Amino acid sequence: MQIGEYFLSFWDYETPKVMVVKNRTLGVIYRSVQFLVITYFIWYVFISQKAYQESETRPESSVYTLMKGTAVHGDDILDTVEYARPSEGGDVISTILRREVTYDQSQGTCAEHFNVANANCTKDSDCVQGEVDFDGHGRRTGRCVQYYNHTFKTCEIQSWCPIEEYAVVREPALEEAINFTVFIRNSIHFPKFKVLRGNIKDASNKRDMQKYLNKCQYHEEKEPYCPNFRLGYIAHKARENFTELCRTGGVIGVFINWQCNLDIDPSNCKPTYAFRRLDLRKDQANSGYYYRFAKYYRKDGVESRTLIKAYGIRLDVIVHGHAGKFSPIPTIISTVTAMTSVGICTIICDWIMLTFIDKNEVYSDRKFDEVIKEPPVPISTELSYINSFGSNHSDLSEGVPL
């Protein structure tokens, strides 16, 4: 029976009832909540979030990078061809800060490194001919040989010899790289609004532009349109120690953020920059940045190479863009949303009134009414009622003395 009543009550219609409550405390709470809600929407929705604007968050972007600088390394002078990879590129560029070099490698046979699994041996039967260990350096020949100038033995392999771990020469870090500069040119296009912007200051002619780019250094306040960044400045802003970066290498993200309010002149749309280390420093296996490359040549008619393991800084340029401009449709939607949200004031005050103030249920009796439409009275029943009332009336009249 109770379930049936719930089902029937589901189809009841509810309509708000206007009731004026003469309570000063409740009135103060109601107007205060109204003021807070309206203030929040005006500040957050319209001023902070600019909800009255049509926005675009997926602009078209182009990035060009170029490393600049020279350094003295021993008796050699290094330029961008030596330490930059690539010397000019797109949104990724790296510079070598330290090298580990293995000279005069050639194809042949030599002893495997002793840290490789199952590489240590005492006799030939300990080494399986043709076996390749993917953590090692080559294919085993099946012989157990002396490990270079040491007394112990390891399995012989066919590879580029001598192996890197034995013959590597660790060069000092390129400390002068702290003054290298990276040129970052970024163009961004918002096709919805047909606005194209760049991060380089406009100049009257090409000569003035080149002169400006040759001498300027980026500064947040003094030179916000200069695209030249010192590596030392980038490391500092990323809260990294440059000496430590020279030792282990690292990946740093250069974030270019465009926040453009197109209700004002587009010339005020300029980028902001942020720098952050991207590789995991706490995870030793995944931290740092290095890569290997080789320089090939022929020596005494034999193909040889110099293997270089390079540690350095890799810069990943990441561009974000957001542009907004006034549009009536989002303005109407945001305004209606704000006006609708004011209704929460009534809900809060009703809860306070019925929970804390209405101790004698005076307000609840007035607020909630149940209206039931009574069925009409049949005509026959109404006539019989009138006749019975008339006969009773005549009887009473006859019993009254005149």
Side-chain angles (χ1 to χ4, degrees), residues 120-392:
N120 294 277
C121 62
T122 56
K123 53 187 182 298
D124 290 347
S125 60
D126 294 334
C127 304
V128 180
Q129 184 178 3
E131 185 180 50
V132 177
D133 192 316
F134 289 100
D135 292 328
H137 298 82
R139 182 174 58 189
R140 297 182 181 179
T141 64
R143 296 177 59 209
C144 183
V145 297
Q146 182 180 349
Y147 184 77
Y148 300 97
N149 298 326
H150 297 269
T151 57
F152 59 89
K153 294 182 177 182
T154 60
C155 293
E156 185 183 58
I157 58 172
Q158 181 183 359
S159 180
W160 286 95
C161 296
I163 61 173
E164 180 183 19
E165 284 82 349
Y166 170 74
V168 66
V169 176
R170 292 176 174 85
E171 296 180 350
L174 196 65
E175 298 286 352
E176 291 176 289
I178 195 171
N179 293 316
F180 289 173
T181 59
V182 56
F183 171 83
I184 303 176
R185 184 177 66 197
N186 176 224
S187 299
I188 193 166
H189 178 222
F190 297 97
K192 181 183 290 186
F193 304 115
K194 299 180 180 180
V195 173
L196 177 64
R197 296 293 299 161
N199 67 330
I200 301 177
K201 184 178 181 180
D202 295 332
S204 57
N205 57 64
K206 189 175 181 179
R207 179 177 297 180
D208 292 342
M209 170 68 72
Q210 195 62 41
K211 184 184 298 185
Y212 171 75
L213 294 178
N214 288 336
K215 68 177 183 179
C216 76
Q217 292 285 337
Y218 173 80
H219 189 276
E220 294 180 18
E221 298 178 358
K222 297 179 181 179
E223 294 288 353
Y225 282 104
C226 179
N228 297 320
F229 299 84
R230 286 179 59 251
L231 288 184
Y233 175 84
I234 293 175
H236 172 71
K237 286 297 182 178
R239 299 181 180 180
E240 295 296 326
N241 184 286
F242 194 83
T243 303
E244 183 66 17
L245 286 174
C246 289
R247 188 181 68 85
T248 63
V251 181
I252 295 179
V254 180
F255 298 89
I256 305 178
N257 189 27
W258 295 83
Q259 293 290 336
C260 299
N261 182 7
L262 300 181
D263 290 332
I264 58 179
D265 196 302
S267 61
N268 295 306
C269 176
K270 58 184 180 180
T272 57
Y273 299 87
F275 309 89
R276 181 166 57 86
R277 181 81 175 263
L278 298 181
D279 57 304
L280 302 176
R281 284 170 291 182
K282 295 181 180 180
D283 186 353
Q284 294 297 325
N286 296 317
S287 64
Y289 174 72
Y290 64 88
Y291 59 92
R292 289 179 173 88
F293 64 97
K295 296 181 178 180
Y296 294 89
Y297 56 91
R298 298 191 71 84
K299 183 177 182 181
D300 299 329
V302 178
E303 184 180 26
S304 303
R305 75 177 187 181
T306 296
L307 178 64
I308 301 173
K309 183 179 182 181
Y311 292 83
I313 295 179
R314 190 180 96 174
L315 302 178
D316 290 5
V317 183
I318 303 170
V319 182
H320 299 288
H322 178 276
K325 192 174 184 179
F326 173 80
S327 177
I329 295 178
T331 303
I332 293 172
I333 294 174
S334 300
T335 304
V336 172
T337 303
M339 294 175 64
T340 304
S341 300
V342 175
I344 195 175
C345 307
T346 304
I347 298 174
I348 294 174
C349 291
D350 282 351
W351 176 74
I352 295 173
M353 178 183 69
L354 298 175
T355 305
F356 301 103
I357 299 178
D358 192 16
K359 298 298 183 181
N360 299 321
E361 298 185 354
V362 175
Y363 298 126
S364 59
D365 290 342
R366 296 292 185 90
K367 183 171 179 60
F368 302 106
D369 286 338
E370 184 174 323
V371 180
I372 302 175
K373 182 179 179 181
E374 297 182 357
V377 179
I379 297 177
S380 58
T381 305
E382 186 177 357
L383 291 175
S384 61
Y385 174 78
I386 294 173
N387 292 333
S388 62
F389 177 79
S391 60
N392 293 335

Side-chain angles (χ1 to χ4, degrees), residues 65-67 80 82-97 180 182 231 250-251 289-291 310-316:
T65 55
L66 176 66
M67 195 72 67
T80 56
E82 293 292 327
Y83 60 77
R85 292 289 186 278
S87 56
E88 58 182 46
D91 55 1
V92 175
I93 193 170
S94 66
T95 181
I96 298 174
L97 301 179
F180 289 173
V182 56
L231 288 184
V251 181
Y289 174 72
Y290 64 88
Y291 59 92
Y311 292 83
I313 295 179
R314 190 180 96 174
L315 302 178
D316 290 5

Side-chain angles (χ1 to χ4, degrees), residues 31-44 46 338 342 345:
R31 296 305 179 189
S32 299
V33 175
Q34 267 190 335
F35 175 77
L36 291 175
V37 171
I38 293 173
T39 303
Y40 168 78
F41 269 92
I42 292 176
W43 176 81
Y44 181 77
F46 288 96
V342 175
C345 307

Side-chain angles (χ1 to χ4, degrees), residues 63-83:
V63 176
Y64 170 82
T65 55
L66 176 66
M67 195 72 67
K68 299 179 181 180
T70 56
V72 178
H73 189 69
D75 296 331
D76 299 327
I77 303 297
L78 303 181
D79 57 13
T80 56
V81 177
E82 293 292 327
Y83 60 77

